């Protein structure tokens, strides 16, 4: 069993705890919250009797095997480095870091200490996404794609009132690209590899972050466009175009349905991949396999591929940030 510590008291931490315990590979041993009241309230929601730490050094000194970081984006790096220095494996919520320099420092330290780093991009571990990866090479040359993830955030109401919540703050590396666009970038890079070029234009809101944006990932023979937003809703499907037809995905996360339109046959077939577990279960299980069986070469190869994918996503996000003139306050 892996002794698990949690940083962050948002809904995503709640979901990860539920999923991790469901794998039966983790046991929850501690939660860190800077605010005592918030930590105590969170403990009630998960209905677990575990220590809640309010002092960072005390939390790091606890007997933990792995720490899940779901803090604001801009503090991931410093917290990850601290965890590694205290010999803890880390699972970092996406986007893990805000620059390639940060990424490289974390990987170097993890390798030096024989520790594991995982980025919690849950959707690439889900069965539907893995089936899409399997099918894609068999259905013709890629011509392009269009991905969309736009969902109105209730915290935008606070921005309209003159406030600056973390997810809409440059200080905390917030905004549409980093919160929702990262799902699309992960999907594109996992499916097609590292693009040759990338660009991003966006509509900025009062706090200076992007409320909505459109990007282009340019590959040798095709382009992938993406649209992300937190100030409106989109019901547009996600599509991948091949010479023979078109893949149609109702959503890019939690894929349970894949449709394919065959141009030659003028028909559409559909396949369904219902998820038997909560979405975050699959990543938690994949990560625990690697940590519990470090001697397994096949799992080691999977781990190396995840790290390289995370590195490439980080590189693309860095290019897109600069293209969109998103000057996070590091």
């Amino acid at each position: 069993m892996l002794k698990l510590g949690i940083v962050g008291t948002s809904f995503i931490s709640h979901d990860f705890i539920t999923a991790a315990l469901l794998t039966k590979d983790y046991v929850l041993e501690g939660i860190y919250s800077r605010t005592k009241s918030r930590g105590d309230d969170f403990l009630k929601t998960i209905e677990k009797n575990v220590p809640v730490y309010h002092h960072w050094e005390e939390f790091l000194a606890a007997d933990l095997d792995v720490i899940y970081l779901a803090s604001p984006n801009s503090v991931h790096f410093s917290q990850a480095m601290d965890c590694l220095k205290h010999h803890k494996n880390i699972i970092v919520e996406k986007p893990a870091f805000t620059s390639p320099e940060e990424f490289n420092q974390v990987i170097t330290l993890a390798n030096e200490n024989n520790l594991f780093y995982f980025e919690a991009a849950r959707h690439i571990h889900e069965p539907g996404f893995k089936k899409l990866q399997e099918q894609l090479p068999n259905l013709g040359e890629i011509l392009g794609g269009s991905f969309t993830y736009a969902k109105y955030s209730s915290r935008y109401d606070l921005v309209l009132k003159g406030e600056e919540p973390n997810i809409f703050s440059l200080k905390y590396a917030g905004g549409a690209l980093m919160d929702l666009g990262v799902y699309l970038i992960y999907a594109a890079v996992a499916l097609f590899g590292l693009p040759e070029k990338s660009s991003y234009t966006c509509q900025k809101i009062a706090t200076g972050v992007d409320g909505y944006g459109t990007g282009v990932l340019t590959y040798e023979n095709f382009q992938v466009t993406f649209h992300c937003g937190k100030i409106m809703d989109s019901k547009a499907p996600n599509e991948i175009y091949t010479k023979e037809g078109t893949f149609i995905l109702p959503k890019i996360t939690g894929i349970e349905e894949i449709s394919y339109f065959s141009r030659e046959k003028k028909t559409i077939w559909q396949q369904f991949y219902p998820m038997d577990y909560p979405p975050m279960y699959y990543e938690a299980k994949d990560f625990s396999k690697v940590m519990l069986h470090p001697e397994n070469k096949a799992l080691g190869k999977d781990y190396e591929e995840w790290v390289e994918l995370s590195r490439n996503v980080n590189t693309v996000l860095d290019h897109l940030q600069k293209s969109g003139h998103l000057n996070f306050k590091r």
Side-chain angles (χ1 to χ4, degrees), residues 34 97 122 144 178 184 238 272 275 283 301:
R34 289 180 301 170
F97 310 113
R122 65 173 177 82
M178 299 295 276
L184 308 178
N238 300 272
F272 299 91
M275 292 196 293
E283 63 176 356
K301 183 178 179 182

Side-chain angles (χ1 to χ4, degrees), residues 12-31:
I12 201 164
S13 294
H14 182 285
D15 290 351
F16 186 81
I17 291 170
T18 301
L21 298 184
L22 196 58
T23 69
K24 301 187 185 305
D25 291 337
Y26 302 82
V27 57
L28 183 63
E29 292 288 349
I31 295 165

Side-chain angles (χ1 to χ4, degrees), residues 29-30 51 53 56-65 67 86 88:
E29 292 288 349
Y53 297 90
W56 183 236
E57 289 297 327
E58 184 181 356
F59 175 70
L60 292 174
D63 183 16
L64 302 170
D65 297 312
I67 294 177
H86 284 77
K88 319 294 187 188

Side-chain angles (χ1 to χ4, degrees), residues 97-114:
F97 310 113
T98 59
S99 73
E101 293 77 19
E102 290 181 350
F103 184 94
N104 291 335
Q105 288 185 57
V106 167
I107 297 304
T108 297
L109 185 58
N111 291 341
E112 288 175 351
N113 287 279
N114 294 315

Side-chain angles (χ1 to χ4, degrees), residues 94 120-129 132 147-151 179-187 236 238 249-257 273 275 279-280:
K94 72 209 161 316
R122 65 173 177 82
H123 57 313
I124 68 164
H125 297 274
E126 295 167 352
F129 190 87
L132 175 63
F147 296 159
T148 299
Y149 196 173
K151 184 178 180 181
D179 191 53
L180 298 184
V182 62
Y183 286 98
L184 308 178
I185 305 308
Y186 239 107
N238 300 272
L249 312 169
K251 52 186 179 178
I252 207 66
T253 66
I255 295 173
E256 295 186 285
E257 173 188 332
Y273 306 99
M275 292 196 293
M280 299 183 84

Side-chain angles (χ1 to χ4, degrees), residues 271-282:
Q271 292 185 345
F272 299 91
Y273 306 99
M275 292 196 293
D276 298 323
Y277 299 98
M280 299 183 84
Y281 171 92
Y282 301 97

Side-chain angles (χ1 to χ4, degrees), residues 310-325:
S310 179
R311 182 191 304 277
N312 289 341
V313 169
N314 180 268
T315 298
V316 174
L317 283 174
D318 185 61
H319 291 164
L320 295 172
Q321 292 167 30
K322 293 172 180 175
S323 175
H325 304 289

